[in-house]
Amino acid sequence: MKPVYYRLENSWNPNGGPNGEFTFTLFNLSDETLSGFKLVYTSLTRVIDAAACGNSTFLRRNANFHEFGPPAGLSVAPGESWTFTVAGLHRKAQHCTDGAKSAYLTLSSGKHVPVAVSDLLLEGATSEPPPVLLPEGRLDLPFALQPWPAEIDAKPGDDFPVVLYPQGASSEELSSISTVISLTRRLFESDHSVFNLVPSPQGRALTFSKDAALDAEAYKLTFAADRVTLTYSGAAGRQYGLTTLAQLLNGARVTKGKFRFPISGTISDKPRYGWRGCHLDVSRQFYPVADVKRLIDILAWFKLNIFHWHLTDDEAWRLEIKAYSQLTTTGVLRGPDEPLLPQLGNGAEPVGGFYSQDDIRDIVAHAGALNVEVVPEIDIPGHNAATLIALPDLTDGQEAPDSYHSVQGYPNNALNPAVALTYEFLEKVFDEMVELFPSAYIHIGGDEVANGSWLASPMAKKLMEEEGITNGTFGLQSYFLKKVKAMLTARGRKLSGWNEVSHGGGVASEDTLLMAWENPQVGIELAKEGYDVVMTPGQAYYLDMVQATAFQEPGASWAGTVPPAHTYAYEAAGEFPEELQHKLKGVQACIWSEHFLSRGYFNRLVFPRLPAIAEAAWTPKALKDWDRFAAIVPLSPKL
Ligand code: ACM
């Protein structure tokens, strides 16, 4: 790692202005005097009033990229520092991750050099002790199962088999065991294998039985001293039965005594919901193929069956489209001298990253072998700053710049429904996507189009007149999304999107599944309008939300504080009227990655809330038990 010769410290004073004030201090730890430089930092707490900055000059901002100059003539000698203040913030800082996420200097030579940053300190307060988020828990039955099964009536044995081995298995059954052996070995690399294809004298035989009356995802396990029988009807149920055995034996082995393996009895299991999802935002931060596959492994371990892959956003378009190679060149590279500026933890070095079509096929096959369906998302029409920088022909050249801003602070970032090329572009993108992704649904985003978008576009104004669209931005959005829906229907796919797809007239509800993220009530409204619904409310299922109120807790807080106990207790079906229950297709965790600058942040926030959602997706309400969950979840694999 290269040495870093500069460090930026930052703190926030709640009393410094309407939304408080940052104090930044840049230390020069190099052996040369600094002068004629500029400082860039990225921060989700944005400056909106350039005049409210002290001992510095605000130069420019793009979303969370901020550039400042020192006062005229200032130089910083080795060992010295420069302190400046920044008020005029668009909101208060609430947590330690709300300050500078990264920084760099542009020297007078034009060279960019890295600056180390620390988490944001709160002025005038001492740190509180870290909150206890997970109690020790309690076990009524000593089985390491997560999610907890629908029915269990099994007696723990005093000992456990060294290994389980198949007897009389078909080649498909052998292959399914092999898949679960590999899964378990990837997740718990140094632990002993749970299954062995060769019989072992200290092992226990595993026999299979088929029962067409079971649902495809259901299974039954019957335990006896000399054998275990797995009954199933489909590949998914067979895999879930084997995963249950792997969890039981692995738990009994690694925490001997606390967890045990059944000697008799049965487990009869099936999921509560058909859609058991987890989303990952790979635009704000890039996750290499190996990390994506490991996350999918973790989903399979917890019997989740949907990987919702958020492939595009303002910060980058990560999906290779052969017809538009610019999307994954210009559209991914963020750097000081690139069209896309550094954001969300980027510094002096340009960073990119995308998934080639070979990578995609590899990941889709990996997931498919584990009965996880990959639902790809391209987020349109909003959240397209990167797309429009890569493909400027998609803009209305007559639209005033900065005529609207997204909630994340991006100017003019939505695909324009009045530009004919927009539809040509999307037709080609969908053509390539349907070749890559076999999923029933394609997710098209549809969220957070800023009210006022396109209203300064002469082409959009003309379209509104021609089409008789009188309800502004959302009327245009509905016009656009109806065309998108038709494109998907023509390709034999169904439309999935975020809850705002319903705005301004929405799209036909048939074969449309919307994700209620803004709050739980929205899900019920969507169901009333006839849409199928998956519940992903930020207040319970957004895994980037902070887990406690203390300032030093990392994460976002716009949807509140979401401790694991709350995520676990939340009931998606809670307020759904009886007659709308059939519209509720399932639940989903969302991993938005603005704050996930490292694996450390990822694991700290995603676990144990991801397994909590997996249990909500699978286990009947009457069997949910926070104390049991807390006792088992420390065994969870992490990224
Ligand atoms: C979202 O969180 N904008 C779907």
Side-chain angles (χ1 to χ4, degrees), residues 151-162:
E151 275 181 61
I152 178 163
D153 181 12
K155 185 166 171 281
D158 292 333
D159 215 338
F160 52 82
V162 68

Side-chain angles (χ1 to χ4, degrees), residues 379 383 408 447-448 498-500 515 517 542 558 592:
D379 196 352
H383 288 278
Q408 286 84 8
D447 59 320
E448 294 185 319
W498 300 107
N499 55 243
E500 301 98 310
M515 294 180 174
W517 68 274
Y542 269 28
W558 61 261
W592 295 101

Side-chain angles (χ1 to χ4, degrees), residues 151 208-222 229-238 241 267-271:
E151 275 181 61
F208 291 87
S209 146
K210 287 194 99 169
D211 179 356
L214 287 178
D215 295 344
E217 291 191 310
Y219 67 92
K220 181 168 180 191
L221 289 166
T222 311
T229 304
L230 167 54
T231 308
Y232 69 97
S233 75
R238 181 176 61 209
I267 293 178
S268 292
D269 203 9
K270 63 174 189 198

Side-chain angles (χ1 to χ4, degrees), residues 30 84 179 209 234 272 350 433:
S30 77
F84 65 103
T179 300
S209 146
R272 181 173 178 189
M433 285 178 81

